[in-house]
C-alpha cells in the first residue's frame, strides 16, 4: 500500500500535468467525422493543437469559439452558435465535440441551455450530434478530461437496437488515455483473433496512427463511427482498459446491462496472460498458436534482460493509469521504484506496490529522483534528466523529440518485448559507458 502525498506549493514551477480540454480533445479525435470545438479563447485551442501536432506529427482538426474580453463579459452563446453553424456548413462534420475551458466554466455558461436554444433556432442541426464535455482547465488533468469525454460520448451517442438481440461476438473496448494508437491497434488484433468483433471507444488507432488519406478532410477521416456507437447496447461484454474507464463501463452496465471487467495493465507476462484467458473464456475458443509462440518469445526476452533490470532504481512521472501499469511491469522485472510522481488523484494510487507516490510537478520529481538509474516520463522530463545526468525513457504525453509516437506499442506480448529491449538497451549502454569511461559514470539523457 502506497502513501499518497500532495505537495502544498502554491505554484507549479515546472508543471507535469496537462489540461482537461486537451485530454477531452484527444478522446474525441477517436471518432469518425469528428471536429472538437473548444468554447474558450483562441490561446487555449492553439496550445492544445500545438501539443497534439507535435506529439503525433499529424494535422489535427480543432476549432474554437474564439472568446474575447467583450464576449466573455456579455456572454458566449452567440460565439457558440456562430461556431457550430459555421462548422456544420463548411466542414460537414458527422459529430461535433463541444469542450468547455476554464474561461467559460468560471463564467458559468449554461451549456446545455445553449445547445437546446441553438437547435431551436437552427432545425437544420437536428441531425448533427453534439457531444458536450465539461472540461475546466483549473482542475483535473489530461486523464480526467479524456475520461470525461468518453463518458459524454457514451451518454450522448450509445444506443441499442430494439430489433436485434445482443450480438454474441460483439464486445466494447474502452481504452484509457494511457494507451497509444499503436496499443489500440494491437489490442484490436488480439481481440479479433479470438473471433470477437470489437467496438473501440475511442478508436485512436484508426485516426491518429499516421497514415495518408486519398483526399484532405477537415474532420477526422477514421475512427469509431456513429453506426458502431448506435450498436454498442447490443454488445455482450465490455473490456475497460485502465481504472479511469471503470465509470464508463458502469454506465454501459446500468443502461444496457452489459457486464464488464477492468484491466489495469496489459504490459508484462501475467497481465497479458490474464487478458488472453479472459478473451478465451468470453469467446469459448482456445488461445491461438500465434500468441502461444509470442509468449515463449517474451519469456526468453525476460531471461535475456532481467540481469539489467534487477535492483535498478527507477523514478517515474506519469499519469495515474500509465503509472499503475509501468510500476507493475518494472516490479515484475526486479526493478525498484525510487520515486513516483503523478498528476491527479486516482483510487488506484494507494494500491500501488511502492512506499509513496507524490501528486505534484516536475520540480518535485527533480528533488526526489537523484541517485536513480533511470527516469521515465514525457519529453518535459528530458530537461530534468540532463540536469541530473540520468538516462531517460520517454513515456506518456507529449513526446515531441522522438518520431513514431502514434505507432509505439507497449501492450501484449510483442509490445512488452519492445519495452523490455528498449529499456534494457539503455541500461546496457550505461554499463558500457562505465567500462569505457570509468571516470565518467553519468550518461546524458539526450544521447539516449
Amino acid at each position: 500500500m502506497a502513501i499518497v502525498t500532495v505537495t502544498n506549493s502554491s505554484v507549479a514551477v515546472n508543471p507535469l500535468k496537462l489540461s482537461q480540454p486537451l485530454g477531452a480533445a484527444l478522446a474525441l479525435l477517436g471518432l469518425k467525422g469528428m471536429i472538437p470545438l473548444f468554447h474558450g479563447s483562441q490561446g487555449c485551442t492553439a496550445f492544445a493543437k500545438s501539443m497534439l501536432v507535435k506529439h503525433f506529427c499529424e494535422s489535427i482538426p480543432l476549432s474554437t469559439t474564439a472568446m474575447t474580453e467583450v464576449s466573455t463579459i456579455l456572454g458566449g452563446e452567440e460565439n457558440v452558435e456562430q461556431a457550430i453553424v459555421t462548422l456544420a456548413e463548411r466542414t460537414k462534420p458527422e459529430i461535433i465535440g463541444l469542450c468547455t475551458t476554464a474561461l467559460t466554466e468560471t463564467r458559468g455558461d449554461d451549456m446545455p441551455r445553449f445547445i437546446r436554444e441553438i437547435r431551436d433556432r437552427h432545425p437544420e442541426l437536428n441531425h448533427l450530434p453534439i457531444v458536450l464535455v465539461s472540461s475546466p482547465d483549473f482542475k483535473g488533468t489530461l486523464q480526467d478530461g479524456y475520461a470525461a469525454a468518453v463518458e459524454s460520448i457514451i451518454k450522448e451517442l450509445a444506443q441499442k437496437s430494439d430489433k436485434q438481440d445482443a450480438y454474441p461476438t460483439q464486445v466494447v473496448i474502452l481504452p484509457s488515455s494511457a494507451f497509444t494508437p499503436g496499443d489500440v491497434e494491437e489490442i484490436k488484433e488480439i481481440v479479433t483473433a479470438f473471433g470477437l468483433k470489437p467496438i473501440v471507444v475511442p478508436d485512436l488507432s484508426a485516426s491518429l496512427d499516421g497514415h495518408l488519406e486519398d483526399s484532405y478532410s477537415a474532420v477526422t477521416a477514421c475512427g469509431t463511427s456513429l453506426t458502431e456507437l448506435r450498436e454498442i447496447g447490443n454488445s455482450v461484454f465490455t473490456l475497460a482498459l485502465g481504472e479511469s474507464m471503470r465509470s464508463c463501463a458502469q454506465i454501459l452496465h446500468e443502461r444496457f446491462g452489459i457486464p464488464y471487467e477492468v484491466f489495469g495493465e496489459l504490459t508484462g507476462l501475467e497481465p497479458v496472460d490474464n487478458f488472453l484467458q479472459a478473451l478465451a473464456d468470453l469467446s469459448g475458443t482456445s488461445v491461438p498458436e500465434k500468441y502461444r509462440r509470442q509468449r515463449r518469445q517474451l519469456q526468453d526476452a525476460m531471461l535475456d534482460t532481467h540481469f539489467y533490470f534487477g535492483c535498478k532504481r527507477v523514478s517515474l512521472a506519469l499519469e495515474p493509469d500509465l503509472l499503475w501499469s509501468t510500476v507493475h511491469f518494472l516490479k515484475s522485472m526486479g526493478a525498484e521504484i525510487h520515486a513516483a510522481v503523478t498528476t491527479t488523484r486516482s483510487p488506484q494510487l494507494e494500491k500501488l506496490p511502492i512506499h509513496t507516490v507524490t501528486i505534484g510537478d516536475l520540480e518535485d520529481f527533480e528533488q526526489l529522483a537523484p541517485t536513480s538509474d533511470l527516469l521515465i516520463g514525457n519529453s518535459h522530463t528530458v530537461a530534468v534528466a540532463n540536469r541530473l545526468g540520468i538516462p531517460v525513457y520517454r513515456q506518456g504525453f507529449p513526446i515531441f523529440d522522438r518520431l513514431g509516437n502514434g505507432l509505439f506499442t507497449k501492450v501484449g506480448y510483442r509490445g512488452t518485448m519492445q519495452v523490455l529491449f528498449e529499456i534494457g538497451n539503455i541500461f546496457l549502454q550505461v554499463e558500457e559507458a562505465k567500462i569505457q569511461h570509468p571516470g565518467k559514470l553519468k550518461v546524458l539523457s539526450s544521447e539516449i
Side-chain angles (χ1 to χ4, degrees):
M1 297 291 288
I3 299 173
V4 180
T5 61
V6 182
T7 57
N8 56 8
S9 174
S10 58
V11 62
V13 176
N14 192 0
L16 170 62
K17 71 177 183 179
L18 297 167
S19 68
Q20 280 205 72
L22 176 57
L26 179 61
L28 292 170
L29 289 170
L31 303 188
K32 185 175 184 293
M34 162 65 72
I35 183 164
L37 172 63
F38 280 14
H39 181 33
S41 68
Q42 289 179 304
C44 293
T45 308
F47 172 76
K49 188 180 183 75
S50 172
M51 298 286 275
L52 290 164
V53 168
K54 288 194 293 184
H55 180 84
F56 291 108
C57 294
E58 303 292 334
S59 60
I60 301 295
L62 203 59
S63 190
T64 177
T65 59
M67 295 287 286
T68 63
E69 295 88 343
V70 175
S71 59
T72 301
I73 295 171
L74 299 180
E77 183 172 0
E78 182 179 342
N79 288 56
V80 175
E81 180 175 358
Q82 183 178 355
I84 291 176
V85 171
T86 302
L87 288 174
E89 291 177 350
R90 294 184 180 179
T91 64
K92 301 295 189 296
E94 297 179 33
I95 315 169
I96 290 179
L98 180 57
C99 306
T100 61
T101 62
L103 178 68
T104 52
E105 287 276 355
T106 302
R107 188 185 183 283
D109 284 347
D110 187 350
M111 299 305 295
R113 179 181 64 82
F114 282 8
I115 295 175
R116 288 194 304 270
E117 294 181 354
I118 291 170
R119 287 193 183 279
D120 290 340
R121 290 191 292 268
H122 297 275
E124 70 274 14
L125 299 176
N126 288 339
H127 72 284
L128 179 64
I130 300 175
V131 178
L132 175 61
V133 186
S134 176
S135 51
D137 304 68
F138 51 75
K139 68 175 183 178
T141 182
L142 180 146
Q143 177 176 296
D144 298 318
Y146 183 101
V150 177
E151 284 191 25
S152 296
I153 291 169
I154 291 173
K155 290 177 179 178
E156 181 70 26
L157 303 177
Q159 297 180 15
K160 179 178 182 178
S161 173
D162 296 331
K163 300 178 181 180
Q164 177 69 47
D165 295 331
Y167 298 109
T169 61
Q170 181 172 293
V171 296
V172 183
I173 300 176
L174 303 175
S176 76
S177 60
F179 295 89
T180 68
D183 291 334
V184 176
E185 184 67 33
E186 180 72 13
I187 292 164
K188 286 166 57 179
E189 183 178 325
I190 293 173
V191 172
T192 304
F194 284 85
L196 300 171
K197 176 191 173 184
I199 295 181
V200 184
V201 185
D203 190 356
L204 297 179
S205 71
S207 58
L208 292 175
D209 60 330
H211 66 277
L212 294 178
E213 293 290 339
D214 294 332
S215 60
Y216 170 77
S217 174
V219 298
T220 54
C222 302
T224 314
S225 67
L226 270 175
T227 301
E228 290 176 316
L229 290 167
R230 287 167 177 165
E231 292 180 348
I232 281 183
N234 297 98
S235 304
V236 295
F237 202 81
T238 299
L239 302 168
L241 310 182
E243 180 63 28
S244 63
M245 291 293 102
R246 183 182 293 275
S247 61
C248 301
Q250 289 173 342
I251 292 172
L252 290 176
H253 178 66
E254 293 167 2
R255 287 185 60 185
F256 307 115
I258 305 174
Y260 68 91
E261 185 172 354
V262 179
F263 295 87
E265 68 270 10
L266 292 180
T267 304
L269 184 64
E270 185 176 358
V272 181
D273 285 350
N274 294 337
F275 185 64
L276 265 62
Q277 185 60 56
L279 293 176
D281 295 340
L282 184 61
S283 64
T285 61
S286 60
V287 177
E289 178 58 33
K290 169 184 177 180
Y291 297 109
R292 295 177 186 270
R293 177 169 176 77
Q294 287 183 11
R295 186 179 191 275
R296 292 192 290 269
Q297 291 174 328
L298 175 57
Q299 287 176 312
D300 183 72
M302 293 171 70
L303 287 173
D304 294 340
T305 57
H306 83 276
F307 298 102
Y308 302 101
F309 279 80
C311 298
K312 287 293 193 299
R313 294 158 62 87
V314 184
S315 294
L316 308 96
L318 301 168
E319 298 268 358
D321 278 3
L322 186 54
L323 179 69
W324 172 271
S325 174
T326 310
V327 164
H328 280 81
F329 168 69
L330 292 170
K331 295 280 287 185
S332 72
M333 289 300 298
E336 299 176 1
I337 307 303
H338 179 56
V341 177
T342 191
T343 57
T344 186
R345 286 197 173 275
S346 168
Q348 291 292 80
L349 295 180
E350 294 181 349
K351 301 176 184 178
L352 283 167
I354 56 180
H355 295 300
T356 61
V357 57
T358 302
I359 299 176
D361 57 19
L362 288 174
E363 183 186 38
D364 304 307
F365 184 64
E366 187 167 353
Q367 294 172 355
L368 295 169
T371 73
S372 300
D373 296 302
L374 179 70
L375 307 184
I376 297 180
N378 60 31
S379 288
H380 295 299
T381 311
V382 175
V384 175
N386 283 331
R387 288 193 290 269
L388 297 179
I390 301 172
V392 62
Y393 181 65
R394 294 161 178 82
Q395 277 273 39
F397 184 96
I399 299 175
F400 46 76
D401 55 349
R402 290 294 185 271
L403 300 174
N405 301 312
L407 295 177
F408 172 77
T409 305
K410 62 182 179 298
V411 302
Y413 296 130
R414 286 192 304 186
T416 301
M417 282 187 280
Q418 181 177 342
V419 176
L420 271 176
F421 291 135
E422 289 181 353
I423 296 180
N425 283 330
I426 293 176
F427 288 141
L428 179 58
Q429 186 174 344
V430 172
E431 293 298 325
E432 290 176 347
K434 290 180 180 179
I435 296 173
Q436 295 173 6
H437 307 284
K440 299 179 179 180
L441 299 183
K442 292 184 177 181
V443 179
L444 289 178
S445 63
S446 59
E447 297 176 355
I448 299 176

